[in-house]
Amino acid sequence: MILKRLELDFFRNYVHAEVELSPSVNVIWGENAQGKTNLLEAAGFLSSCRSHRARYDRELIQFGVEHAFLKGEVAAHQREFTLEARLHRGERRQLFSNGVKLKTAGELGEVFNTILFCPEDLSLIREGANQRRRFLDDAICQLRPKYAAALAEYKRLYEQKTRILRDWEEKPSLLDTLDDFNLRMAQVGAVVIHYRAHFVRRMSQLAPPIQSDFSGGREELGLRYETVSTVTDPEAPPKAILEQLLEHQQSHRRAELESRQCLSGPHKDDLAVEVDGRSARQFASQGQTRTAALSLKLACRELFREDTGEWPVLLLDDVLSELDARRQTFVLERINGGQVLITCCEEDKSVPVSGRRFRVRDGSVTA
Ligand code: ATP
Ligand code: MG
């Protein structure tokens, strides 16, 4: 899939911008704080309605303005799509595909997918499990609308159960509903686990060869899905997982009531990442950390391609400057095939890539 054209109004520091992109590599360069990352963020937003650094739409709207508009012309599945997002302060966003209003953000993912790699992604390896869960969730949600629905329901149930556990001593009648919540959470949780396990298995086939190539054959990457301890085979059909989740809930019931916290379920899952058999989180060097994070993202890109038949658009924010020449060349060769948007600062604007170059200066883009 190709993002042919991007148009922004009042998005971050862009008052108005129109960019005609190359179907291959697009280098976006400029000084700090000019709007390079904002441009990638906008492209990413059109694929998932999620931003890697904003929690709320209002952060994306230009300071002092009430609305922001994003428009992308995308070629995918032998068709042309015009995707639009209209963001409003204090009101729900509206999404359109070829003028037709979309009901959910997930529908964008059926047309347009992006994979973003940015400096913050080092936290994927370095930090707690929630970063890695988010990585799994973002990717699977883009590919599987059923997963997105299950995950959203799980999150709602989790919040309700957390409230019950928090308040039950003051309001014991709340406990009457606990069993119902537990059962539904186990049902939905089993679906979540099943999808995550399949995704991790495929990632564990795709990512290690990338890490190995990246490191000249020296580094071996390992990925393992960690979920609720009673689940013996997370890839089993959800029905089989359900029984094991109920068993875990049962044995943690007292502890949950006493600690007033939800202790059982896939909301604590992790994706264990190892380099040469050791936990990357604890032992990987900076270079290994960066390589592992990038390998995960590039593997994800290949998985999307296997699933949808098309390369997702790759958004690389500030990665080249961090890599030595050999690794730069490796990345640029590896991504050969789909469309890429790469940002870099002024000094490394000479990176050896073909395609189109754009200069970003104070919220305006020139080819
Ligand atoms: P760097 O090279 O440092 O990463 P960059 O070119 O990627 O810089 P961006 O992150 O794109 O810079 O940000 C550009 C500018 O956008 C920043 O000065 C920031 O203050 C501004 N900005 C962020 N959000 C908004 C907003 N909602 N309205 C207006 N300006 C904003
Ligand atoms: Mg930036």
Side-chain angles (χ1 to χ4, degrees), residues 126-292:
R126 280 278 148 82
E127 289 182 16
N130 58 337
Q131 302 286 333
R132 286 178 291 281
R133 272 197 308 273
R134 195 177 159 165
F135 166 68
L136 297 179
D137 291 343
D138 279 350
I140 312 171
C141 281
Q142 281 198 58
L143 289 171
R144 300 274 182 265
K146 270 196 188 144
Y147 179 80
L151 187 67
E153 184 177 357
Y154 188 86
K155 285 185 175 164
R156 271 197 308 277
L157 293 163
Y158 173 79
E159 276 169 23
Q160 285 161 324
K161 180 171 166 184
T162 302
R163 237 171 286 138
I164 295 175
L165 291 170
R166 195 190 55 203
D167 300 335
W168 72 270
E169 270 181 336
E170 293 76 26
K171 252 172 110 184
S173 64
L174 285 174
L175 290 183
D176 297 346
T177 55
L178 188 59
D179 286 338
D180 291 341
F181 274 108
N182 271 342
L183 176 61
R184 189 65 197 143
M185 263 179 101
Q187 285 168 334
V188 183
V191 175
V192 168
I193 290 174
H194 173 80
Y195 276 100
R196 283 181 180 167
H198 274 272
F199 180 81
V200 174
R201 183 174 48 76
R202 293 178 62 198
M203 285 292 288
S204 65
Q205 289 156 352
L206 293 167
I210 301 178
Q211 177 98 11
S212 169
D213 284 357
F214 222 140
S215 59
R218 286 194 304 264
E219 289 166 16
E220 195 187 329
L221 185 71
L223 298 178
R224 196 166 18 87
Y225 176 45
E226 292 178 345
T227 186
V228 178
S229 60
T230 49
V231 176
T232 48
D233 175 12
E235 286 186 52
K239 241 179 152 175
I241 300 173
L242 171 64
E243 295 303 319
Q244 297 171 334
L245 290 183
L246 290 171
E247 192 186 310
H248 191 270
Q249 279 178 350
Q250 202 49 43
S251 64
H252 285 71
R253 192 182 172 91
R254 280 242 341 241
E256 285 189 330
L257 290 172
E258 277 166 15
S259 68
R260 298 173 152 218
Q261 277 173 20
C262 185
L263 303 174
S264 178
H267 52 277
K268 305 202 315 168
D269 284 0
D270 199 356
L271 168 67
V273 182
E274 293 177 347
V275 176
D276 295 334
R278 291 201 183 81
S279 159
R281 185 175 177 197
Q282 287 168 287
F283 299 109
S285 74
Q286 281 187 331
Q288 286 174 324
T289 301
R290 190 169 298 125
T291 311

Side-chain angles (χ1 to χ4, degrees), residues 12-13 32-38 53 59 61-63:
R12 297 275 196 192
N13 69 333
N32 293 133
Q34 302 302 307
K36 301 182 299 295
T37 301
N38 293 346
R53 51 183 185 173
E59 297 167 52
I61 302 173
Q62 189 156 101
F63 304 140

Side-chain angles (χ1 to χ4, degrees), residues 298-314:
L298 293 179
C300 199
R301 175 175 175 264
E302 292 183 7
L303 195 150
F304 271 62
R305 149 95 180 207
E306 284 182 6
D307 260 42
T308 66
E310 303 197 24
W311 288 114
V313 175
L314 186 61

